[in-house]
Amino acid sequence: MANKPSNITAIVGAQWGDEGKGKITDFFAGEADFVVRFHGGNNAGHTVIVDGDIYKLHLIPSGVLYEHPVSVIGNGVVVDPAALIKEINYLRDKGVEPKLKISDRAHVIMPYHIEMDVALTKHQGSLAAGSTKRGIAPVYADKMYRHGIRIIDITESDIFREKLDKAFSFNQTLIKAFGHSSTLNKEEIFDQYIKYGETLKPYISDTSVDLYNAHKKGSAILFEGAQGISLDVDHGVYPHTTSSNTVAGHIASGTGVSFRDISRIIGVAKAYLSRVGQSPLPTELNGQEAETLRDKGSEYGTTTGRPRRVGWLDLVQVRQAVRTNGLTEIALTKLDILSGFSELPICHAYNVGGKQITEMPASLSQYRKAKPIYETLPGWGNLTSDMIDKGFKALPNTLQQYVKYIEDQVDCPITIISMGPQRHETIIR
């Protein structure tokens, strides 16, 4: 076992999420035996386009669109059973039968978590993250309070009732303390979630053991991250983050698979930047320039449909992603969207009170004051399909220079170039 080469790859976000991880995961999933989510919930969304058909996924990994791999929802993911069952049925309606395993240790989003999410967001005001109101922060909080409810619990009525009594009372007290009224009925929740448990029971498994045994056999395992580095609850722009760890190191705790066995860690970055949610955003564009970029890139949230904030590429952010994830390489996406711009600014550092900084500050005060320091590179006009077919060296020199500049600034090779939303619009260097 120790001398066997590892066949485990991780794909994570190097920005704010929405970098194109779904497409990159889908590209690699055809050669994987297992595709695994390790954190987050249905607040994340991936859009995958296969042969012109659009699939919008929220909980089930992107590899579900291939027949071969098993899709795994790890213990670090928080699961809204209603949303998951809806997604399973959505795929079936599109002719896809999910080969799915759900960790028995994954925590369950309850109706009171969603109510609590609304109350919290109003309470947090300017320090809020722009929540999707899916109950993500409250369910992770309950997990840490140690009165969370796990997937296995909703298949065992006695344990579920014991836990629900405590968790329901606790959360209702907090919701009312925020001045919100609640019409939730504990008995109705109990009955509904027992039904969810019956529906999901065939998929529930000890996925840590499943993945361990698969790895011992030499199976190919692909980990799919949700969101991006700046939303990581420890390393991101706190408190404008999600409530889970988005970095590759969380794979170990979010799935029970040893981090030392991962041989390849791919960070996905867009050639520009987008953000759904509330926080400072140093390279943000406004006005017509933002509208043009947003419309060209179809920058609207997969989960919420909200228009995304957009800006120029921020290498201070990507530099942090390289370091904290231990990236072995970068997949650079949506270069086609920048076609037609005569000049392309890239932020390589911040000016904070007259001081130049090249790493993401922990200080929220500093980040609010950060002004981007740009290097402006020439654009590359329009791209054609034959350029993509011929490979990287057939691309315009100015585009190649754009790629090289990023590599030099963040000290990480860019080995994958995505030139469009479909699988075949991808260049491997």
Side-chain angles (χ1 to χ4, degrees), residues 292-304:
T292 300
L293 190 56
R294 185 179 297 113
D295 289 343
K296 281 187 74 176
S298 299
E299 295 298 342
Y300 299 89
T302 305
T303 298
T304 62

Side-chain angles (χ1 to χ4, degrees), residues 329-340:
E329 58 207 277
I330 291 171
L332 189 63
T333 65
K334 290 205 167 185
L335 281 146
D336 54 306
I337 303 302
L338 294 185
S339 297

Side-chain angles (χ1 to χ4, degrees), residues 136-158:
I136 306 300
V139 71
Y140 276 116
D142 269 7
K143 179 177 180 177
M144 296 309 171
Y145 283 135
R146 300 190 307 280
H147 61 225
I149 292 167
R150 305 198 292 183
I151 282 284
I152 192 66
D153 298 331
I154 63 173
T155 69
E156 300 176 349
S157 59
D158 290 346

Side-chain angles (χ1 to χ4, degrees), residues 377-399:
L377 302 182
W380 48 76
N382 294 317
L383 302 172
T384 60
S385 58
D386 63 309
M387 290 178 184
I388 300 170
D389 295 340
K390 291 177 183 176
F392 183 71
K393 292 190 176 177
L395 299 175
N397 286 335
T398 47
L399 190 153

